[in-house]
Amino acid sequence: MDSDGMRDARGTRRAVPRPASGPPPMPQGPPPTVPPAERAPLAAPSLVAWLDAPRPDAATGIWRFGHVPPKPAKRRLKLAPATVAGAAIPLVIGTVLWAMWVQGLFPYKSALIRLVTPDDWWYAGSLWGVETVWQTEYVGMVVDNIFFALLACCMGYLGSWPALVRHWLGRWQQPARAAVTAVGAVLGLFLVFPFFDGDPVPVYTTVVVLLALINGGWDVLGSPMVMFLVDVGVALMVLLPCARWGEWLPQFRQWTLAHRAGPRPKNEPAATAPPSQWPLLRAAGQTHAADLLSAEVLAGRMNDVDCARVRRAWDSLQREGRLVSFTDTVLRHGAAAWAHPSGCRDLPLRTSTHDLLTGQVRIGRCGTEEKVPTAYRGAGMALDLAVLGTSLLAVGPPESARTERLTVPIVESLALEALTGACAVLTVSAPGTPTGPDGAFDVVIRPGDPGSLYGLHLYAEVTDPDEAASVLAEGLVGDLQSVDTGRAATALAQLIGPYRAAHGRFPTVPALRELLEGRPEALSALVDALPPHEAPALRRELDPWVRRAGTALDIGPVLADRLSRLDRPAFRDFFDAGDETGAGGDAPAGRMRPFSLRALGHHPLRVRIDLPDHGHEEAAQMLARLVLAQFLAVARAGGTRSHFVCLVLDDASGAVTPGAVRAVQRLRSHNAGVVLGLRSLGDVPEALHGPLLGAVGCRVAFSGINTWDGRAFAEAWGTEWVETTEVAQHTVFADQPITRALHALRKLVTGKAVTTEAITVRQVERERWSASQLAHELSPGHAVLSLTSVKGEHAPPLLVDLRG
């Protein structure tokens, strides 16, 4: 093992297959220090821009690359007419009262002034001041100003003027609100203090004169302490309301916390350092590795797959505390560090838009209709591993471009993720419609094609006869409602268990067919080959099978008839049953190499199976069921697996069984998922429509589906509460003779009866998407998509333009 993280994981030298086509395998031993990428889809300047592009957090399914989150809609609160009138009426009343007070028409004004002043200041029975009393010159001004202040406070309270001010300030956000109120406070101080010739609003003068009147002279104004208190008191009268309305204290606390954080240390990278400079590595002290990777990016020796693969390795090794190993591998191999076991660092062809830093593939764009949530309005839609981990079901006829618009982008994205070590992908292509070029896969299996380099392990390297029988029974008769899959699995286990004990391997397709048909020579040979020390127990396994042979309980003919579809000359040497140890090995010269799906759980492989056509439709459906059953068993197998495994079944017609639906529900907790494509839900038994839609977390309905399929999706997506407005016209019937005459005249002139409108606003529960909308209102190239991530985050059913 001298790969140093470059090529093979532990124990994978023999098991990892090489590409079926494309570049040849790399020679053994460490490669050159910095080998060039096979194909760099991004030149150095564009790669830097791609790395440094913003990827803000967004809702589930939103394309994050360069995404600009929509600004929250500003809710402009409008004042009701009653509120405006309630503020204006006290203003009018206050103006009238003030005019009456100034003109002396206010009752008891003289009595009020004489009540608060000594009697010796005035001549008896009048408001004429005594010449020797100087206070009478100022009492009127002070009383007028105090009355004006009290009148303004009363009218403001009655008219809710402070609420109007807060409403106007509510349109401003911090710190703009604090700045506006600060400007108002400065203007208020200039108005109440005599900075120039006088104070326009005589607040300060009134307070000073009132102090002199109370003290009986102007001597009190000579005290600095008294004048300081006057200045502070008048200033607080202006500043406190402005501080409260402008929320100065919370804003000050926020600035204080930001100031206490202090400047960033010089040796610490700035938070705004571009990702192309690998700031996470520099923050952890891996400066040399960061410098080398930055140079690789600028020199064009690195592509987006390399960046994602190195970042994944960094995250993994940092959690394990193996930073020295990370630095050593990067310094020795540069951009080619931790390359895929096949040696490939990119796909030969890309047809979709990918962002490997977030693991997303773009599939379209949401509409801008009002019913679309604000967060998704006009945003790009994308899929990632977190979404595919809940499994996906896509239903649409062939003319809806389901394969081109959805399946191919998903397979392409999973293949790129496999090159970064994040997942293993198995795609099963419908007859005649491969989901990618051969060079994009490590293994290409073509059942029925003599030129295929690989065959399929019939039992997926299972060593337990009961488990092998269960998987095989699911593939053979899982779609038959008249045959119990559990009973079929038991019958198969009664044959393949003794056969494995006798021959050291599971039976091949021809041998198993002979046993299922109940041929006496095959059963006799099996009984004679049983090991002597296990013969009694194994004969007890075979006795029930022999007793049922030829009776109504015999399930062998049904299994043999199904297995005969695979026992054809076109599939000769294609299925492998394993060697003496129960595991597939290297094939002899001239034969296909057996491939087991169990390898997906150990290595980030890219595998494609092309189902046969030209008269083998039933065999193709059986192979799809068998592959799905094997994948579900492998994905739920015990053991630690750091990468995601996914099966993409482009045409799942006849492959979805009750057992498969139950198994799909448990994939989410095993870091695995499936993508199932159907032409129509009619390809699945009607009893499985609801369970299938409930087992997957992501559902896609393409244009062209029928009403019955639309009803199933509508029930799965449920209902929502919407606000409806109903306007009803009611004829007005008058009781008075004059009114009736006027209504008759109006009807004679206009030709319409006098009516009145009755508006009713209520909340009603309606379907998110109705069956009719899904069947008739989806334009070509559009689909309705709902997503769920493995964390439980949801995206509602959205109309997506797959061409956007």
Side-chain angles (χ1 to χ4, degrees):
M1 286 298 296
D2 192 21
S3 59
D4 297 302
M6 277 293 302
R7 302 198 45 198
D8 296 326
R10 181 178 301 174
T12 63
R13 296 251 180 215
R14 180 183 63 84
V16 177
R18 295 305 169 193
S21 63
M26 297 178 63
Q28 299 292 334
T33 303
V34 184
E38 292 182 3
R39 184 179 72 86
L42 301 173
S46 59
L47 180 60
V48 172
W50 175 79
L51 284 171
D52 297 342
R55 294 171 175 85
D57 294 335
T60 301
I62 290 182
W63 174 254
R64 292 173 51 192
F65 179 80
H67 174 63
V68 179
K71 295 182 179 179
K74 295 182 179 180
R75 191 174 181 182
R76 301 293 296 273
L77 297 177
K78 295 183 178 181
L79 290 175
T83 305
V84 177
I89 292 175
L91 178 62
V92 175
I93 296 175
T95 304
V96 173
L97 293 179
W98 174 248
M100 294 174 61
W101 177 274
V102 172
Q103 296 177 10
L105 302 177
F106 198 91
Y108 307 110
K109 176 180 179 181
S110 59
L112 178 61
I113 296 177
R114 294 182 66 92
L115 180 62
V116 297
T117 56
D119 294 338
D120 56 356
W121 288 6
W122 316 97
Y123 290 108
S126 69
L127 280 181
W128 293 98
V130 180
E131 291 81 355
T132 59
V133 179
W134 60 270
Q135 289 91 338
T136 58
E137 300 179 8
Y138 300 98
V139 168
M141 179 196 69
V142 172
V143 172
D144 289 345
N145 292 343
I146 293 177
F147 178 80
F148 180 82
L150 294 176
L151 183 63
C153 291
C154 293
M155 296 300 105
Y157 175 78
L158 294 176
S160 301
W161 295 351
L164 296 177
V165 176
R166 285 192 293 268
H167 171 78
W168 181 77
L169 292 175
R171 300 181 299 177
W172 301 80
Q173 301 294 330
Q174 294 289 20
R177 184 187 303 178
V180 169
T181 52
V183 172
V186 173
L187 180 61
L189 292 176
F190 272 99
L191 292 177
V192 300
F193 279 97
F195 289 104
F196 303 103
D197 294 339
D199 44 349
V201 181
V203 176
Y204 183 82
T205 303
T206 301
V207 174
V208 171
V209 173
L210 183 60
L211 287 176
L213 292 176
I214 295 175
N215 189 63
W218 302 99
D219 298 338
V220 68
L221 303 181
S223 173
M225 180 58 68
V226 173
M227 299 307 299
F228 174 76
L229 294 177
V230 171
D231 294 342
V232 171
V234 174
L236 290 177
M237 292 171 59
V238 177
L239 295 178
L240 286 179
C242 294
R244 183 179 178 182
W245 292 334
E247 299 179 356
W248 292 0
L249 185 58
Q251 185 66 21
F252 177 75
R253 290 174 180 172
Q254 183 178 355
W255 286 340
T256 303
L257 292 176
H259 179 72
R260 288 178 180 176
R264 184 178 298 274
K266 294 182 179 180
N267 57 352
E268 184 178 351
T272 57
S276 58
Q277 298 298 320
W278 305 89
L280 296 179
L281 275 64
R282 300 182 188 277
Q286 307 299 315
T287 307
H288 296 293
D291 291 340
L292 177 60
L293 292 175
S294 300
E296 297 281 78
V297 171
L298 294 176
R301 292 188 294 265
M302 205 169 191
N303 60 10
D304 54 348
V305 177
D306 298 330
C307 295
R309 187 180 64 251
V310 171
R311 287 201 174 193
R312 172 178 167 80
W314 164 256
D315 294 337
S316 176
L317 296 178
Q318 187 185 34
R319 287 193 300 267
E320 299 174 3
R322 299 168 55 192
L323 300 183
V324 176
S325 174
F326 175 86
T327 304
D328 179 67
T329 305
V330 170
L331 293 180
R332 293 177 61 186
H333 305 294
W338 300 283
H340 190 261
S342 65
C344 298
R345 291 167 56 191
D346 199 3
L347 299 181
L349 176 66
R350 295 193 191 186
T351 59
S352 304
T353 305
H354 304 271
D355 183 20
L356 294 180
L357 288 189
T358 59
Q360 291 184 314
V361 54
R362 185 183 176 107
I363 60 172
R365 180 181 295 277
C366 282
T368 57
E369 295 79 7
E370 187 176 354
K371 67 178 300 184
V372 179
T374 304
Y376 291 91
R377 202 167 294 169
M381 292 299 295
L383 302 176
D384 55 16
L385 299 185
V387 167
L388 297 179
T390 62
S391 299
L392 183 145
L393 174 65
V395 179
E399 58 270 14
S400 63
R402 170 174 50 84
T403 300
E404 295 80 1
R405 300 290 184 182
L406 185 68
T407 304
V408 171
I410 290 177
V411 172
E412 193 174 285
S413 175
L414 292 173
L416 288 172
E417 292 290 341
L419 294 180
T420 67
C423 79
V425 56
L426 168 63
T427 174
V428 181
S429 303
T433 56
T435 53
D438 292 354
F441 298 93
D442 304 312
V443 176
V444 177
I445 305 174
R446 296 185 178 92
D449 185 358
S452 177
L453 299 179
Y454 292 93
L456 184 66
H457 198 292
L458 186 62
Y459 303 97
E461 292 186 352
V462 174
T463 57
D464 182 21
D466 292 330
E467 184 179 357
S470 177
V471 173
L472 186 57
E474 187 71 25
L476 292 178
V477 296
D479 61 325
L480 295 180
Q481 299 181 3
S482 59
V483 179
D484 183 17
T485 307
R487 180 169 162 237
T490 302
L492 286 172
Q494 291 173 345
L495 289 178
I496 65 178
Y499 191 96
R500 184 177 185 277
H503 299 282
R505 57 181 175 82
F506 289 125
T508 60
V509 173
L512 182 59
R513 180 184 178 184
E514 292 180 354
L515 293 174
L516 290 174
E517 290 176 346
R519 297 183 180 181
E521 62 275 12
L523 292 174
S524 300
L526 176 59
V527 172
D528 295 338
L530 294 177
H533 61 283
E534 298 182 7
L538 295 175
R539 285 194 179 96
R540 285 195 298 270
E541 286 283 321
L542 287 173
D543 286 343
W545 177 268
V546 175
R547 287 195 302 268
R548 288 194 303 267
T551 66
L553 299 177
D554 187 10
I555 198 176
V558 177
L559 293 173
D561 179 68
R562 281 303 184 95
L563 192 61
S564 65
R565 291 167 173 78
L566 302 181
D567 188 19
R568 307 299 301 165
F571 304 125
R572 183 177 294 120
D573 300 330
F574 176 76
F575 295 103
D576 184 80
D579 54 18
E580 299 299 323
T581 62
D586 293 334
R591 293 189 58 186
M592 300 178 184
R593 297 180 57 186
F595 176 78
S596 171
L597 299 190
R598 196 163 295 273
L600 297 173
H602 303 289
H603 315 293
L605 296 178
R606 302 165 296 165
V607 183
R608 194 188 79 205
I609 300 178
D610 295 338
L611 294 179
D613 52 3
H614 304 299
H616 297 289
E617 290 80 5
E618 294 184 357
Q621 291 188 1
M622 190 176 300
L623 282 172
R625 280 196 308 273
L626 181 61
V627 170
L628 177 59
Q630 289 188 1
F631 175 84
L632 294 174
V634 168
R636 293 181 289 116
T640 59
R641 184 181 68 241
S642 60
H643 62 274
F644 177 77
V645 292
C646 186
L647 167 66
V648 181
L649 196 54
D650 183 48
D651 186 4
S653 302
V656 179
T657 63
V661 172
R662 290 191 296 269
V664 167
Q665 292 176 332
R666 298 190 290 269
L667 285 182
R668 187 179 308 187
S669 59
H670 293 279
N671 196 21
V674 296
V675 177
L676 303 176
L678 291 172
R679 294 185 295 267
S680 171
L681 286 178
D683 296 334
V684 178
E686 186 177 357
L688 294 181
H689 290 182
L692 177 60
L693 287 169
V696 298
C698 307
R699 310 175 187 94
V700 187
F702 283 80
S703 60
I705 64 174
N706 54 49
T707 308
W708 293 271
D709 291 351
R711 181 166 59 248
F713 276 98
E715 293 176 357
W717 282 325
T719 59
E720 63 180 344
W721 289 98
V722 296
E723 185 178 277
T724 61
T725 302
E726 297 179 357
V727 180
Q729 300 283 344
H730 299 286
T731 304
V732 177
F733 297 96
D735 296 331
Q736 301 299 325
I738 298 179
T739 308
R740 286 200 298 269
L742 292 176
H743 287 183
L745 178 61
R746 179 176 175 179
K747 184 178 181 179
L748 181 63
V749 174
T750 62
K752 297 180 180 179
V754 179
T755 59
T756 182
E757 289 186 352
I759 301 177
T760 304
V761 180
R762 60 178 179 174
Q763 296 283 337
V764 297
E765 193 174 8
R766 289 184 178 175
E767 293 178 327
R768 297 179 183 271
W769 284 88
S770 67
S772 178
Q773 289 177 321
L774 293 173
H776 304 294
E777 296 185 10
L778 293 186
S779 304
H782 290 70
V784 178
L785 167 72
S786 68
L787 302 176
T788 303
S789 70
V790 292
K791 296 181 180 179
E793 300 169 343
H794 294 269
L798 304 168
L799 179 62
V800 180
D801 184 0
L802 301 175
R803 302 164 299 183

